[in-house]
Amino acid sequence: MGERWNTAVMDGINLPSTEAYNQNFSFDIIPNSMVESVIVSKTATPDMNASFAGGFVEVKTKDIPNENFTTVTMGASYNDQTTFKEFLTRKRGKYDYFGYDDGTRDFPMGLKFTNWENPLFFEQSRQFKNDNFTNYVTTADMGSNFQIALGRNYKLKNNSKWGFAGALIVRNEQNKLEIDHTGRGNWLDTSYLLSNWQTTGSDPVEFYNFENQGASYNYNSTVAGMLNFGLQLGKNRFSFRNSYTHIYDNTLTRITGWNEYTSGSGLPANAEL
């Protein structure tokens, strides 16, 4: 079933969505070396949160690893539609690669609520930097990801032990999505006739070809970390688990052509309503 019907849980805690407009979780931000088990349930049981109709995905992470481990992973990706080609963006900050703002996008201090009829509106608007509203042409880089993980266990007396496991992920992706045309139903459709409009001729007038096109440029950075500690004393086990995720998603969309929402009625020049 669709992602909005599913629930994701890690170590007994419901995971928030990693997307702004969809109920979805990106599991690839959890380091593989930190995963102890993954259980997918299709039917609810009394020990589950009954907020799902599709699947209940429960991820358990390591606190005391069975064996010591150290892993370092580096990777890159190439997209023949995007990489090393023209890429539009707003002004970037020094730390955008890691998903953090360096103050480039900060609002001016001391702004007050007003409307465009108030002279204060124009006075405040001049405080904004012009380069924050400008498109810049750059070249898309290759996608990259870096992951490091470390786990250690230490034996104590009387079959007791303690240990820890941690990992850090840094990932950056730059993608371009071509847009052939945007429209709303048959409104401004070239195959639709204006049979209900008054025209200067006796025959219905066809819409002109109002095709538009453009592209959507997406710049995504993810920083995720995890650090778990565990202490086992005989049959008792205590765990302290921590996770951190920071996702930066910047999308710029540019479409050129006819826009039925902002100008004109869609009629040819010689037609009247």
Side-chain angles (χ1 to χ4, degrees):
M1 300 180 69
E3 62 277 354
R4 70 191 184 102
W5 302 104
N6 304 324
T7 295
V9 173
M10 184 168 68
D11 298 324
I13 303 298
N14 281 22
L15 295 171
S17 175
T18 53
E19 297 182 12
Y21 303 106
N22 296 304
Q23 174 59 34
N24 195 17
F25 183 80
S26 180
F27 288 95
D28 55 357
I29 65 175
I30 302 177
N32 294 337
S33 54
M34 292 292 296
V35 176
E36 184 173 280
S37 65
V38 178
I39 301 174
V40 180
S41 303
K42 303 294 290 183
T43 303
T45 57
D47 60 331
M48 297 179 185
N49 187 320
S51 60
F52 69 97
F56 184 87
V57 184
E58 183 177 9
V59 180
K60 292 185 178 180
T61 59
K62 298 177 181 178
D63 53 358
I64 307 177
N66 294 327
E67 297 179 353
N68 295 341
F69 66 87
T70 302
T71 62
V72 177
T73 304
M74 300 179 66
S77 61
Y78 174 84
N79 186 328
D80 60 2
Q81 301 295 315
T82 306
T83 307
F84 304 139
K85 296 185 178 180
E86 180 180 284
F87 196 88
L88 293 186
T89 180
R90 300 291 188 185
K91 184 177 181 181
R92 291 181 184 166
K94 294 182 294 185
Y95 310 124
D96 279 13
Y97 179 85
F98 299 99
Y100 295 91
D101 184 36
D102 63 351
T104 302
R105 303 170 182 85
D106 285 350
F107 278 8
M109 300 295 293
L111 292 179
K112 298 180 180 179
F113 174 79
T114 183
N115 56 44
W116 67 272
E117 297 177 345
N118 191 324
L120 181 61
F121 176 86
F122 298 98
E123 179 182 340
Q124 291 187 146
S125 66
R126 286 190 286 268
Q127 299 180 39
F128 288 86
K129 299 178 182 178
N130 290 333
D131 52 9
N132 286 347
F133 300 92
T134 302
N135 292 342
Y136 292 86
V137 179
T138 62
T139 301
D141 297 327
M142 296 180 64
S144 59
N145 67 82
F146 173 80
Q147 179 184 141
I148 182 171
L150 178 70
R152 296 289 185 270
N153 68 62
Y154 302 93
K155 294 183 179 180
L156 302 175
K157 296 180 180 179
N158 301 322
N159 294 324
S160 299
K161 61 181 179 179
W162 76 278
F164 69 90
L168 175 67
I169 292 177
V170 178
R171 185 174 60 198
N172 178 268
E173 296 179 351
Q174 302 174 38
N175 297 305
K176 176 183 177 182
L177 175 64
E178 296 286 350
I179 299 175
D180 293 331
H181 177 69
T182 60
R184 184 183 62 183
N186 59 6
W187 175 242
L188 295 185
D189 189 345
T190 57
S191 63
Y192 186 70
L193 299 179
L194 291 174
S195 57
N196 296 324
W197 298 78
Q198 298 177 0
T199 67
T200 57
S202 58
D203 297 327
V205 179
E206 284 191 83
F207 274 116
Y208 283 175
N209 187 350
F210 293 120
E211 295 291 331
N212 54 57
Q213 60 182 354
S216 184
Y217 304 84
N218 184 269
Y219 187 97
N220 178 276
S221 297
T222 301
V223 174
M226 189 175 295
L227 183 61
N228 297 342
F229 297 92
L231 172 63
Q232 183 169 334
L233 300 175
K235 296 182 179 180
N236 301 307
R237 188 160 181 155
F238 303 90
S239 296
F240 183 60
R241 303 169 188 264
N242 307 270
S243 63
Y244 172 82
T245 302
H246 180 86
I247 298 177
Y248 169 73
D249 194 1
N250 190 330
T251 300
L252 186 151
T253 301
R254 183 181 69 172
I255 299 176
T256 57
W258 181 262
N259 183 349
E260 71 263 38
Y261 299 106
T262 58
S263 60
S265 63
L267 287 172
N270 64 343
E272 296 179 357
L273 177 61

